[in-house]
Amino acid sequence: MEKADQLQTYRQKRNFSVTSEPPGGGKQNESNRAFVIQKHWATRLHYDLRLELNGTMKSWAVPKGPSLDPRDKRMAIHVEDHPISYNTFEGIIPAKQYGAGKVIIWDKGTWSPLGDPYESYRQGNLKFELAGQKLHGRWVLIRMKGNDEKQEPWLLIKEKDEIARPAEEFNVVEALPDSVAKIKYSPAQKSLQKKSSATTKAVKSDKSKLPAGAIKARLPATFKPQLATLLVDPPANSDEWIYEIKFDGYRLLTRIEGNKIQLFTRNGNDWTHKLSALANEIKKLGLASGWLDGEIVVLNDQGIPDFQALQGAFDHAAIQQIVYYIFDVPFYGGFDLRAVSLIERKEFLRTLLDKSPSAAIRFSDTFTVGGHDVLNSACYLGLEGVIGKRKTSTYVSRRSAEWIKLKCTQRQEFVIGGFTDPQGSRSSIGSLLLGVYDENGELHYCGNVGTGFNSKTLADIKQKLDAVARTDSPFAENTGIDRKAHWVAPKLIAEVSFAEWTTTGRIRHSVFQGLRVDKKAPEVRREKAAALSNATSSVLPSTLKVTHPDRVIDPSTHTTKIDLIQYYSRVASLMMEHLKARPVSLVRAPDGITGQLFFQKHMETATMPGIKHLDPALDPDHAALLTVAKPEGLLSAAQMNVLEFHTWNALISNIQKPDRMTFDLDPGEGVAWSAMQEAATLMRTFLNQLQLSCFLKTSGGKGLHIVVPLKRLYSWETVKDFSGAIVQHLARTLPKHFSAKNGPRNRVGKIFIDYLRNGFGATTAAAWSARSRPGLGVSVPVAWSELASLTGSAHWRVANIQSRLNIGNEPWKEYSSSAQNLGAAMKILGFQPAQPARISSIK
């Protein structure tokens, strides 16, 4: 029975004549209590956890959302009780109403208290089990004591059970962002989970059951690991593959023989003495004799592997910080498991490690989603990349195409052949001179690295370099800075990340990650991807002559002219979909982004192959317009110092009838990015109410672009006037959010929606265009479901675009089939178009 007094605060905060939230109601079921988690885009995105108890939904606002990692203690603010009928609420809470913003049902199901729920709730220590679409297992809500806040702060914590997963392996709110409202929840799910839990315990107890295909064999004294092949693109047949995190650490093989534990690097170096504490933790597992394969890492505060921190752990004997992720078991209990399929070996390994007594030893879990999706998520989280493994693959002690690695940025080992003196306030060294060996055993110079160091690593490296000093160069060729170099014997190995290889075999935008001590210098070769995507090729045509390739365009990132040209080479096939058959305007930056910029609609094209003059009749009062006719036009324009490409809202085939309507959301001073995300959601909602579908892209600068595809039925004047009416309506309805007037004074704390982009001759930065701002952000098409995860309009930049190219224009795949008539929208808004003006007057 609903408790009216418990809902008093809930009702007082809402005007039910305005909001569609339910005033009350809902069927109570104490024997099968419901829970719901609603994802709520209010002033700030948060997650509302609601548990049915005593006739209402006890509610907590969880800013970061739930985590499956027991180490994460999520703040949960206790808020007013909600009616049980609120469990089915999805929609938009109108502006000026309490909690204004979008609400979706992120998870739903049933919950079971562990103990007396009423007493536990009163005591502020509520333990329970969830059986939902996304969340399962045991949880606890703990009230924090000694606080005088009006809203009680609690903590939501996942308890240790078979459902728990480390945060660095899986983030449930990012991996599963969408609504489950349309998924029918069966009350039997709860009993099924309990049955599953009991089955899992039974499986754990039977650790002696080896997978079929295991062959009785002696335990080998030495063992070589399987290595992965570098690829650029994930395999197309995603159902045949599973993915794991590519850990930023050292490969480590464990040999267990009775009570003797030995730890070896991939090259067979015995590190047991260095990792004695880890060896003792492995001994506690009580495993039978065998070989385990994994990687050791040190995690930073965000739970991301940190290679330099791993080195520091060895240097300072802080071995207790090291975590061992185990991902394979090629030998176990007197049997050879290498012929067993990967997924069977992984499942068997999971049963062995399920009762690990130490946080230092963890099972390396897998992801079965598509390769593009998991790589994009890994790159967004700041990971090095992912490892793909064919589900049916056997274990082989060599490099194999059955295991693949996909990287967010290029990264590999280099041999150090020398160093330069420090400049300015830096001490010890300036930069390291790097090389790789070829098949004939010659060391070839590949460039240098001068960033990524701190004062301690500089001093440590200098000491190691001095110990291997020599008088002559170890490189097969001149470095170009021989006179400034100090030479060393090629024994030390540096791990370095970088943007790309140049056509001359040099690396660009390199960052030092750490010294490697688990590999031998003669083994260091240039890593080459086994397959290259056409969309991501940076090979330049031989006919393109680049002048001043090293001219710096963006001092903040040290991006050069050749870097920009190679960027446009990568994105050319993607960008042409947005440029094809449209007039284009160009932004030139002859002196880089810190110099004067030139916006040009008309330009001499004799030196720009691929850029074409259009028929002067399209705009008879001006010189001929331009269009990018071929992908090579992007490169020749960039050679002529063009940085940005802006397009019209019409195609050349019918220049007087726009085929899209564009809204540029431009934040004023003091507007937070979260407000931009909220504004874009509100605008999309309003356009949907007008029965208009729309598409989203980042601007690459500060704002967002919302694009409405149109059937070519209306004049420029009509489209511009109607877009203005939309903006003015939003500004009147939500004056605290939006402004329809330009100018700094009108935009402080507000978002200006620029609809003037819809006039004849007006342009907007094209998708995949770089922007002339520090950092060189890129305008990128995104799905609406990605909006909440964007960190800003320049989320992608020239320097980090590589991971996004595999997704490309996929978020806009429905764009070309979505052209729509404005008639219904005009009628809903009550807009009366003026008489269409004659073509001669539209200029």
Side-chain angles (χ1 to χ4, degrees), residues 666-672 702 743-752:
D666 191 3
E669 182 181 349
V671 175
K702 296 187 298 181
R745 292 184 179 180
N746 300 315
R747 297 165 52 191
V748 175
K750 298 182 181 182
I751 296 165
F752 169 62

Side-chain angles (χ1 to χ4, degrees), residues 246-398:
K246 187 178 189 306
F247 295 106
D248 195 2
Y250 289 140
R251 190 77 172 268
L252 194 73
L253 299 161
T254 299
R255 187 179 189 272
I256 305 172
E257 187 173 21
N259 290 324
K260 185 179 181 181
I261 308 295
Q262 291 176 283
L263 305 175
F264 297 92
T265 69
R266 58 178 278 183
N267 284 322
N269 297 320
D270 192 335
W271 278 14
T272 311
H273 63 288
K274 293 184 178 183
L275 298 165
S276 57
L278 181 61
N280 289 333
E281 292 297 324
I282 295 172
K283 184 180 292 187
K284 292 177 183 177
L285 295 176
L287 300 176
S289 297
W291 279 93
L292 304 175
D293 191 359
E295 187 132 353
I296 55 172
V297 300
V298 168
L299 306 176
N300 64 19
D301 293 338
Q302 288 74 46
I304 303 297
D306 186 332
F307 186 70
Q308 288 197 17
L310 176 61
Q311 287 189 308
F314 281 99
D315 293 343
H316 295 89
I319 305 302
Q320 69 276 8
Q321 298 176 5
I322 290 177
V323 177
Y324 187 22
Y325 282 96
I326 303 176
F327 47 73
D328 217 321
V329 52
F331 285 87
Y332 190 78
F335 285 82
D336 182 349
L337 279 67
R338 289 176 295 178
V340 174
S341 70
L342 171 74
I343 53 173
E344 291 179 282
R345 294 198 310 272
K346 292 283 290 186
E347 189 54 39
F348 177 65
L349 177 62
R350 185 194 293 273
T351 65
L352 298 180
L353 300 180
D354 253 355
K355 291 187 176 180
S356 169
S358 171
I361 301 171
R362 304 182 188 182
F363 175 75
S364 176
D365 218 331
T366 59
F367 306 90
T368 56
V369 297
H372 290 295
D373 293 333
V374 71
L375 178 62
N376 186 52
S377 297
C379 297
Y380 174 72
L381 291 171
L383 297 169
E384 184 186 352
V386 295
I387 296 291
K389 298 178 181 179
R390 194 183 294 276
K391 294 177 181 178
T392 56
S393 64
T394 58
Y395 194 105
V396 293
S397 294
R398 55 177 169 79

Side-chain angles (χ1 to χ4, degrees), residues 789-801:
S789 64
L790 296 179
T791 58
S793 185
H795 185 97
W796 290 282
R797 306 175 302 281
V798 168
N800 71 352
I801 197 67

Side-chain angles (χ1 to χ4, degrees), residues 629-649:
K630 298 179 180 179
E632 66 180 305
L634 292 167
L635 310 186
S636 59
Q639 151 59 19
M640 293 297 292
N641 303 308
V642 172
L643 204 154
E644 300 186 16
F645 296 82
H646 293 236
T647 53
W648 287 40
N649 280 351

Side-chain angles (χ1 to χ4, degrees), residues 159-173:
E159 295 209 317
K160 292 181 180 180
D161 58 17
E162 62 273 14
I163 307 299
R165 297 177 70 176
E168 62 271 12
E169 291 184 8
F170 185 74
N171 184 323
V172 67
V173 297

